[in-house]
Amino acid sequence: MKKLAKQVIFYSALLGVWVLLAKLRIWPPYLFPPPWGVGHALWDGFADHSFWIGIAVTMKRMLIGYSLSVALGMILGLAVSSNKFLEETLGGLLVSLQSLPSICWIPLAVLWFGLTEKAILFVVLMGSLLSVTIAMEDGRKQMPKIYGMAGRNLGASGFRLFWSVLLPASLPFIVNGMKQGWAFAWRSLIQAEMIFLSLGLGQLLMMGRDLSDMSQVMAVMVLIVILGYMVDGLIFRTMERRLQEKYGLAP
Amino acid sequence: MSTSPQNAYPPPAPVGRRTGVRANVFYGKPASAVTTFPARPVTEVVVPKVALDSISLSYKTTSGERLLALDNISLEVKPGEFLCIVGPSGCGKSTLLHLIAGLHPQTSGKVLVDGVPASGPGTDRILIFQELGLFPWLTVGGNVEFGLKMKNVAKAEREERVQYYLRLVHLSQFRDSYIHQLSGGMRQRVALARALATEPDVLLMDEPFAALDAQTRDLLHDELERIWAETGRTIIFVTHNVREAVRLGDRVALMTFRPGRVKQQFSVNLPRPRHMEQADVAHAAGEILGCLRDEINKSLEAEYADEKTR
């Protein structure tokens, strides 16, 4: 409750500063819209359904691209973490490729797939695949060795050892990888949508820019932040915290 | 001590139960000659449950030197015997248990179970780890059931055994709890039940009570002694607490510090049940501690030396 009070005060103050700056008219309203201007743009966007459609399309792409990258990333991560040769070769390549911002894949994506849905998914995949892979690999390494030993001691071996011990034992790390993957996929998708200009939140943002409608730009930014936070902060972080508690990893 | 009628699951027949002869403690004999007093005529030759035949272990340290951790260890444990292994920290007593459990290969020598060389882990020897290694993603019941599932025991029998062993460690009410919801002493009992449920001939215990408060530990000593008497398992128990070793063991083996060797063995023939505070327990522990002191000093010196070079 005390934390909530602090947050209410903080955000009210922030809003107050915004109102004050807007009222002072240092910049014209079309460049620096007041909060109610952004509120208005949000209202209009939802009223004419463009925001609903944008969210739906973006979330659909997210779901497909993200699922793909989690599935592939887990397989790759497992392969790299369980094979010394792959770890020393492919592992290094993956880490170095991760320094590549996902937007760098856009020219290739356009050449290979054209301005299509596939190209967007490709960018999302490349943006999050590596972080999922690396998180998976780290997770396997960080997993306490005691679980594997206890499993073998109790008669587990081969696939059963993997399925009933090693996999559940690395679950907190897998969730961590999924969370990181989500954050990267989300950023990549918005970037890709801004460039491909095919319906979606990124495109709505660019439309605001083209119309010099900063209220719309900021309204979409607010939407992106809220949606991103809802999934990352509420779903993933809660899941992660619960798991850490259960596994005795909580700080 | 009595088996209550509610313990429906048939416990396995005790193996080699002691006669309960009251005798003096006898200690201070070299490893080759363990003496028990009063001397009893040898009437039968028993194949040892576990025999270690000149076990050695060496490994390469990070600086590239070869370190001899265990040096030519030979030990025999009779069926139903409670053997305690005592030594200073770093003497390799935990490693020795891992070798017996088959979780780690020895450099040379053999581990024999019932006279047959053992290779790799086997459910006839279950180790209770110092850190327990209970599975946090399973409930208490799930943990106890785990080894049975791995042994492909039928569901009905699994159910029966889980119930039986949870009752044995007084945790029936916590069957559906998760590990993080339990206290340290309760976790210890889950680990014990999980190990016992697979009905191993040999129970290997690695300083299981080291992290517990004195009251909980005393309680678990009583329970372990009772369960041992009820199930007739062979137990090899590693500890650095000499008094605990005397409290529990039929025999106490003393290990040296780096490389680990069996320095001396002591027969403990005090009547059971025993208590940590008992005068004769304290007396025997004092004698053994005297022999251990050199080794503890060596271990401390090594530790401080490590500190200096750091």
Side-chain angles (χ1 to χ4, degrees), chain A residues 30-52:
Chain A
Y30 65 88
L31 286 184
F32 192 84
W36 52 86
V38 175
H40 215 77
L42 271 172
W43 179 264
D44 287 349
F46 281 114
D48 70 7
H49 301 299
S50 63
F51 280 10
W52 289 120

Side-chain angles (χ1 to χ4, degrees), chain A residues 208-221:
Chain A
R209 192 199 85 153
D210 294 341
L211 300 173
S212 280
D213 184 355
M214 287 309 119
S215 299
Q216 163 136 351
V217 170
M218 284 170 95
V220 176
M221 281 165 69

Side-chain angles (χ1 to χ4, degrees), chain B residues 159-192:
Chain B
E159 185 61 27
E160 213 175 337
R161 279 213 228 175
V162 169
Q163 270 182 24
Y164 174 79
Y165 284 101
L166 281 180
R167 208 177 292 134
L168 196 67
V169 297
H170 305 303
L171 280 177
S172 301
Q173 287 165 30
F174 294 92
R175 191 183 169 142
D176 297 323
S177 305
Y178 281 93
I179 305 305
H180 74 280
Q181 297 165 323
L182 306 181
S183 69
M186 286 157 90
R187 288 178 200 190
Q188 207 66 59
R189 271 142 59 201
V190 178
L192 191 60

